Amino acid sequence: MAGHNGLVGSAIWNNLKSRGYNNLVGRSHKELDLTDQVAVKAFFDEEKPDAVVLAAAFVGGIMANMLYRADFIMMNMKIQCNVISEAYAHGVDKLLFLGSTCIYPKNAPQPMKEDCLLTSPLEYTNEEYAIAKIAGLKMCESYNLQYGTNYIAVMPTNLYGPNDNFHLENSHVMPAMMRKVYLAKLIHDGAWDMIAVDLDKRPVEGITGEGLVAGAKEDVANVTAARRRVLDILAKYGISDNKVVLWGTGTPLREFLWSEDMADASVHVLLNVDFKDVIGIEKYSSVHYGASTDGAVDRNHSAGRGGYIPSLGEIRNCHINVGTGKELTIRELSELVVKAVGFGGEVEFDSSKPDGTMRKLIDVSKLHSLGWTHKVEIEDGVSRLFQWYKGSLEN
């Protein structure tokens, strides 16, 4: 399980455990750098996994995507190339690759079907990340067609849930919005003890909660200075006393999927869906791979390459969209967050900042045809996320 500590990876790990799968292997980034080819090979040599879930990625929101363009394409390409190539070299039976619906063109017809991939230009603000993820799904598709592997790529919509990233600079829209609203409320309430806890847990630009709460009378001046420093830092992110400023106009539409729903969908695909199911069993079978008489696949020769057997035609867009098929505006999302947090202040949208893609609704008919639909609706999910966030500050 690559990325087992992340938002989706941890949820997939827990889902598998709940189903009785206990022989799971994961490594933290400190234990295994997936961008290090030699280290990844050594890991596969040692563990010899039967299945791989590639949920690790270098991710972030609009600001991070714009600031770290080279990192987003290079880090993700290295991770994918190393894990997928070693999975093949070590004979892994099944691989599940997690991408993102940002792979689709900026002006793709809505809702976006899998077949709209590569039909027009991408959204500029996350172009590098999208290109990396397109390369990953094409790696899976190409290995399947050339070598007869069983690598499935799933493209989740915007995810949120337990273990989400609440970093103010590089998190996605919902957790960043939620933390901003919560901190603005705490500032208004004068709850500096809680602000200190929040910053100790997740420092902002290296600033923690140290010195925010007076321990003695003579500390007042220092405490005042520390609080002013924190307020100045938070103001850079649109957070002030009872007021939050969010990027854009609030009009873009977004679809959100609870991470534990994504995990359930991923495990469903991992356990029940094969490549032949995705592209249509009538067009595809083991005979196309030059299988030997004992049923083993000859990995050195594949008759399944597109065009090698003309009757197969062009096989492409074999990935699977994973989402709810439902959407709401960023402004409507902010209203749900305000309600969950119990915020009585003002939320303002700064239209001078970019909106990103105006709409990103996906077509989930392929997923439904493969036997899975979502369970958690957005209204319930936002409330659950805030409860998780508050709980994380107590641990």
Side-chain angles (χ1 to χ4, degrees), residues 101 104-105 108-114 116 321 359-364:
T101 53
Y104 293 119
Q110 305 285 325
M112 299 179 291
K113 294 180 178 291
E114 287 85 355
C116 73
N321 288 340
R359 194 181 182 202
K360 286 179 60 177
L361 180 65
I362 56 173
D363 185 300
V364 289

Side-chain angles (χ1 to χ4, degrees), residues 166-169 171 174-205 207-209 212 227 229-246 337-338 340-347 386 389-390 392-393:
F166 285 80
H167 191 289
L168 291 179
E169 186 177 12
S171 64
M174 189 188 302
M177 180 190 295
M178 185 170 286
R179 189 179 182 196
K180 288 178 180 181
V181 170
Y182 180 56
L183 286 170
K185 180 179 187 298
L186 293 181
I187 293 171
H188 182 68
D189 293 344
W192 285 100
D193 55 336
M194 293 302 300
I195 295 173
V197 170
D198 185 280
L199 293 176
D200 282 338
K201 185 77 173 183
R202 299 174 178 87
V204 178
E205 296 188 11
I207 301 297
T208 67
L212 293 181
R227 291 180 180 180
R229 186 168 61 251
V230 165
L231 290 174
D232 289 344
I233 290 290
L234 295 181
K236 292 168 58 177
Y237 296 91
I239 305 165
S240 58
D241 183 350
N242 225 28
K243 182 178 179 179
V244 173
V245 179
L246 303 176
V337 170
V338 163
V341 174
F343 181 61
E346 178 186 359
V347 175
F386 182 60
Y389 182 72
K390 286 203 302 182
S392 75
L393 299 176

Side-chain angles (χ1 to χ4, degrees), residues 5-8 57-61 64 72 159-179 202-203 385 388-389:
N5 287 325
L7 171 64
V8 186
F58 187 79
V59 299
F72 270 84
L159 298 171
Y160 69 104
N163 295 313
D164 217 330
N165 173 18
F166 285 80
H167 191 289
L168 291 179
E169 186 177 12
N170 62 17
S171 64
H172 287 124
V173 59
M174 189 188 302
M177 180 190 295
M178 185 170 286
R179 189 179 182 196
R202 299 174 178 87
L385 181 62
W388 180 88
Y389 182 72

Side-chain angles (χ1 to χ4, degrees), residues 41-213:
K41 181 181 184 302
F43 170 81
F44 275 83
D45 287 343
E46 177 184 354
E47 296 295 343
K48 300 178 176 61
D50 299 307
V52 169
V53 175
L54 180 43
F58 187 79
V59 299
I62 291 177
M63 185 186 296
N65 273 273
M66 293 175 68
L67 289 173
Y68 311 118
R69 299 182 76 91
D71 290 345
F72 270 84
I73 191 166
M74 187 60 72
M75 298 285 282
N76 285 297
M77 289 292 290
K78 283 183 176 180
I79 291 169
Q80 295 161 190
C81 288
N82 290 341
V83 173
I84 293 173
S85 63
E86 291 303 328
Y88 172 71
H90 289 79
V92 166
D93 296 327
K94 190 78 171 281
L95 182 143
L96 185 72
F97 171 74
L98 276 70
S100 164
T101 53
C102 74
I103 62 169
Y104 293 119
K106 178 176 182 177
N107 297 316
Q110 305 285 325
M112 299 179 291
K113 294 180 178 291
E114 287 85 355
D115 288 342
C116 73
L117 181 67
L118 296 176
T119 56
S120 62
L122 299 164
E123 160 61 38
Y124 179 75
T125 57
N126 63 9
E127 190 173 34
E128 280 68 24
Y129 182 72
I131 289 171
K133 287 302 178 182
I134 291 170
L137 74 87
K138 284 296 182 181
M139 287 181 211
C140 294
E141 185 177 282
S142 300
Y143 268 85
N144 291 342
L145 293 175
Q146 182 170 346
Y147 296 117
T149 50
N150 198 13
Y151 301 166
I152 310 296
V154 291
M155 299 296 124
T157 189
N158 299 290
L159 298 171
Y160 69 104
N163 295 313
D164 217 330
N165 173 18
F166 285 80
H167 191 289
L168 291 179
E169 186 177 12
N170 62 17
S171 64
H172 287 124
V173 59
M174 189 188 302
M177 180 190 295
M178 185 170 286
R179 189 179 182 196
K180 288 178 180 181
V181 170
Y182 180 56
L183 286 170
K185 180 179 187 298
L186 293 181
I187 293 171
H188 182 68
D189 293 344
W192 285 100
D193 55 336
M194 293 302 300
I195 295 173
V197 170
D198 185 280
L199 293 176
D200 282 338
K201 185 77 173 183
R202 299 174 178 87
V204 178
E205 296 188 11
I207 301 297
T208 67
E210 183 178 359
L212 293 181
V213 181

Side-chain angles (χ1 to χ4, degrees), residues 373-384:
T373 57
H374 76 282
K375 300 175 181 65
V376 179
E377 301 296 348
I378 185 68
E379 295 82 4
D380 182 33
V382 169
S383 179
R384 289 194 198 186

